[in-house]
Amino acid sequence: MSTTTAGAPPAAVPPAARVETPFRRFVSEFAASRLALFGLVLFCIIVLVAVLAPWIAPQNPYDLAQLDIMDGRLEPGSVGGSGITYWLGTDDQGRDMLSGIMYGLRISLTVGAGSAILACLVGASLGMLAAYAGGRTDSLIMRLVDLQLSFPAILAALMILAFLGKGILNVVIALVVVEWAYYARTVRGSALVERRREYIEAAQCLALPTHRIIFRHLLPNCLPPLIVVGTMQVARAIALEATLSFLGLGVPITEPSLGLLIANGYEYMLSGKYWISFYPGIALLVTIVSINLVGDQLRDVLNPRLKK
Amino acid sequence: MSAVLEAPRAAAQGSVPIIELRGVSKRFSNPLDFAGRLVKRLGVKVREDVVHAVDGVDLSVRKGEVVGLVGESGCGKSTLGRMVAGIMPPSDGQVVWRGQDLTKLSGADAKRAKLRTQMIFQDPYASLNPRLKVAEIVGEAPQYHGLVPRGGLEAYVDDQLRRAGLDPSLKRRYPHQFSGGQRQRIGIARALAVQPDFLVCDEAVAALDVSIQAQILNLFMKLRRELDLTYLFISHDLGVVEHLSDRVVIMYLGRVVEEAPSEEVFARPNHPYTRALLAEVPRIEARKRVFAGVQGEIPSPLNPPSGCHFHPRCPFAFDRCRAERPALKQVAPGHRSACHLNDAA
Amino acid sequence: MSAVPASAAPGAPTLEVRNLRTHFLTRAGVVKAVDDVSFTVRSGKVLGLVGESGSGKSVTGFSILGLVDPPGRIVGGQILFKGQDLATLSEEAMRKLRGNRIAMIFQDPMMTLNPVLRIDTQMIETVLAHARVSREEARQRARDALGQVGIASPDERLRSYPHQFSGGMRQRVAIAIALLHKPDVIVADEPTTALDVTIQGQILAEAQKLCAQTGTALVWITHDLSVVAGLADDIAVMYAGKVVENGPVEQVLDAPLHPYTLGLIGSVPSRNRRGEPLRQIPGMTPSMLNLPAGCAFRARCPRAEARCAEPPPFAEYRPGRFARCIHPHEEAVAA
Ligand SMILES: Nc1ncnc2c1ncn2[C@@H]1O[C@H](COP(=O)(O)OP(=O)(O)OP(=O)(O)O)[C@@H](O)[C@H]1O
Ligand SMILES: Nc1ncnc2c1ncn2[C@@H]1O[C@H](COP(=O)(O)OP(=O)(O)OP(=O)(O)O)[C@@H](O)[C@H]1O
Ligand code: SF4
Ligand code: SF4
Ligand SMILES: [Mg+2]
Ligand SMILES: [Mg+2]
């Protein structure tokens, strides 16, 4: 009578089909947007250029010995005293702008990604703690988040840098302090939703320890929104770093990031020597746009509300 | 067929309860936020919202029994189920597991008690972790708790899946690759993998299509015979409960209003709410009947009626019903009901 | 409006769906959500349209009301409303009928109700959309409709917002809105599925009263055979986009012709077979994207044979009893 109860029900998918992991599904959905793929390729190229800068850049712009002050403020395409062609011109120190941009990207990306990762670690832990502990801990952390978010990021960062002084590490610290709150809020939000799902109750029923439930069951399911916020925050951090450097409170003058390059050329902007600011500006813009293109598609793919 | 059912029922008669609830209550409150507390300080009357999800319930489940728990949405069935399964502590009262108070058990014993009681959930989509493979979902707990010898996990997981009616060759897949009925089977395999003797099924078939629902109900009955399982079967579907249960418990707004052996409840319902409920259940045997509908709305558990919770909708309500909560009293052997009418008679 | 004759005699066919096909042209392929559906609803009678999830019940309902959104399209068949084919009607003409002569009730009443408007605003707007009456009279009609579905103190209730009602009350308001123009046909898509038994009873009682009193023809979509057994006069059983069996409710439930209908009835827990294993249908519903050729039920059917690889015709095996099976059950089989 109840023959099929014991028998194997027919397979949902033909057995020959490749195992469709959530990751593979995610990849194919992401690739559905041409624009996002373009953004991703662009971003990869930018990262590659930044990483390989010491090998592919015509000049080491941080090595003052290589710089020739006589070559200062040359137009794009001119040939310098030592015989190299400055494709994007030079700045007032005689630094090759192309090399400067490549090295500047290195700094900007390191600062952006580094601060985003650190902020993510801090923010996600605090957010998870708030969601799981609840009560007073939750209120305390969330009030801190509110405080942080109600403060203009640039102002907070300026205050911190004014206190800590210049330097790459200090910039990273300042960025972490102003960014962690976004991660905390995001993680808490999704953790509160996921926590109420039945698979968490099932894990509790199975007497699994709390840390295992948090890290193996809860956290992986809170990652998607975190990845989205993370991507957007990298772009934000790069922009913020550029702003800080532009204002002269960021990285040291000897190792200019994109923001500092822009600032250096700013005063020559109106005297027709546009390239000193313009090309670093373009590089910054392209970087941020490419990250945002990727981030937008990530949000569409990972947002459960947009799916059925 | 009926012999299969009679055996466990006879065995159930004298044995100790597997689980016993004594005056168990659960309250949920929405603590006032800062503004609320401030306003209260200033002397304005603000009430903290307290939901009496479960209100003084006594219930015992004996070994080998299938107890059906019926009630309308929001009456506290799931909350009661969670307390029985030990994943939610009661606000008041005791949950006694094989004679021991669950909240007073020490670490190892508490873990054992927890493992022996497992839950099957309603939503086959939310009850499986989407990021784990089926083999991990089923194998995680037995491996963690050392229920299987080293190297034996694969075979063990295969056995569990086969027992739940799933092809073990599918175990490398992720939950989203299965249909609702198959997912429910994965949930059952996960629960069975820690060798429980008591299953709390919270609306375990409510989300499934009729034909798939029948498959899963048959599976529950088969497992009961094979593994000598005890069930607390929570459902709002009286047909399903009648089909499966030895004993039926009926809840209304956090309280048990009637409790009796299955045949007894359906043949001689005592409580006016039970009678109304039975009158309204659509049955496939009843053709072109006239529906009437119980008057009135289901009251909010935030602000339940005084006395007997059912009085605003009860056609027999009298003064005492509005003032006094009726106690659950025996009206026939094994049949208890909470209605003041029984005192008058 | 003038094209449509006034109320028909009780028992006359009000709505006749013939070989309706509604397909969705999606990127993954053509989903034949409704593929050859036929049934008739008579005035004052209830047709129960049953089937499992995804069998095309809702899409059938939407097709009748002309509410199928792209990529969906009615690709064939007729929907005869008092002799007029709705499938070929212009969108403008359809809008005049919809909510007026033909109304729909959804599973989620919030599909009908606007959360930010008061009930009276919504109901009066609906009245004025199709009738030239004064606001005062419109309000009166709204009040009457609320009273008709058993809502106490309708005057007070009219001034409330939807969120102030319970789920059952909201559904009753949605029904009241459907009733405003005393339509000839109401399509109700699982209106009680989300409700509790005692509240469901209230709604079913209203539905029965409605058909008896106003002669409205009712299409009641549900997956619950027990509800259909108690409420409907006729039944149409859907499987994978097709009606596989239809006929009067007692006959279909007592002596199903199609093996799927028999399996479905056997799957319902019933008091006659307490504790016994339920008769289950093996396997699961096929994906609508790649249906097997021939009878779609073939893989799950205990009576399947080689001939079933050909599409079975929808044939009348007994007077008034149609089934889509080449090997139907000959006589009453105890489910
Ligand atoms: N974690 C919670 N916090 C606050 N209130 C809760 C919580 N869980 C349940 N409740 C409330 O307790 C009451 C009982 O809920 P419960 O889920 O036990 O009902 P139920 O009988 O299972 O209903 P359903 O049939 O809808 O599942 C409801 O009013 C619900 O809103
Ligand atoms: N917009 C759409 N695009 C593509 N396919 C669709 C669309 N809407 C419905 N379908 C498909 O049409 C089929 C029938 O759907 P329908 O909603 O009518 O089912 P149903 O019988 O009402 O099921 P349920 O009981 O779950 O409400 C399903 O297989 C569904 O996937
Ligand atoms: S106690 Fe009173 S109100 Fe409650 S069910 Fe009995 S008669 Fe009705
Ligand atoms: S046509 Fe064949 S496969 Fe289809 S239902 Fe009839 S007997 Fe079964
Ligand atoms: Mg529940
Ligand atoms: Mg539907």
Side-chain angles (χ1 to χ4, degrees), chain C residues 296-317:
Chain C
F297 190 55
R298 209 166 74 229
R300 305 173 75 186
C301 179
R303 294 166 75 88
E305 47 184 273
R307 281 188 299 155
C308 303
E310 299 291 314
F314 193 52
E316 188 166 17
Y317 285 93

Side-chain angles (χ1 to χ4, degrees), chain A residues 196, chain B residues 26-30 51-54 71-82 88 122 202-203 234-236 251 254 300-302, chain C residues 196:
Chain A
R196 254 180 264 132
Chain B
K26 182 74 193 180
R27 289 179 297 272
F28 294 106
S29 57
N30 258 337
V51 180
H52 278 258
V54 172
E72 294 182 295
S73 126
C75 73
K77 307 182 294 293
S78 299
T79 308
L80 192 71
R82 290 192 184 107
M88 188 182 263
Q122 164 169 8
D202 187 1
E203 306 271 10
I234 301 175
S235 178
H236 65 270
M251 277 181 83
S300 153
L302 263 177
Chain C
D196 282 308

Side-chain angles (χ1 to χ4, degrees), chain C residues 23-35:
Chain C
H23 294 181
F24 288 87
L25 304 142
T26 66
R27 210 156 19 136
V30 180
V31 179
K32 298 179 178 175
V34 173
D35 197 34

Side-chain angles (χ1 to χ4, degrees), chain A residues 104-172:
Chain A
L105 266 178
R106 253 167 107 83
I107 309 262
S108 292
L109 284 179
T110 315
V111 170
S115 65
I117 290 170
L118 277 178
C120 179
L121 283 179
V122 173
S125 318
L126 285 174
M128 198 58 107
L129 182 68
Y132 214 86
R136 264 164 205 280
T137 323
D138 186 23
S139 315
L140 185 73
I141 295 175
M142 289 327 284
R143 287 305 80 77
L144 264 176
V145 166
D146 288 346
L147 192 71
Q148 185 66 66
L149 293 181
S150 62
F151 226 74
I154 183 74
L155 200 62
L158 280 175
M159 277 162 57
I160 294 164
L161 282 178
F163 182 71
L164 293 176
K166 284 195 196 185
I168 291 188
L169 189 64
N170 289 346
V171 171
V172 170

Side-chain angles (χ1 to χ4, degrees), chain C residues 258-260 295-299 301-305 308 312 324-328:
Chain C
H258 199 281
Y260 174 65
C295 178
F297 190 55
R298 209 166 74 229
C301 179
R303 294 166 75 88
E305 47 184 273
C308 303
R324 193 185 297 277
C325 173
I326 44 110
H327 194 183

Side-chain angles (χ1 to χ4, degrees), chain A residues 170-200:
Chain A
N170 289 346
V171 171
V172 170
I173 292 176
L175 289 178
V176 169
V177 170
V178 301
E179 307 257 271
W180 71 273
Y182 289 94
Y183 297 94
R185 197 177 52 177
T186 309
V187 165
R188 177 177 175 271
S190 53
L192 282 182
V193 173
E194 290 296 324
R195 229 195 109 153
R196 254 180 264 132
R197 306 263 248 150
E198 290 173 343
Y199 67 87
I200 297 294

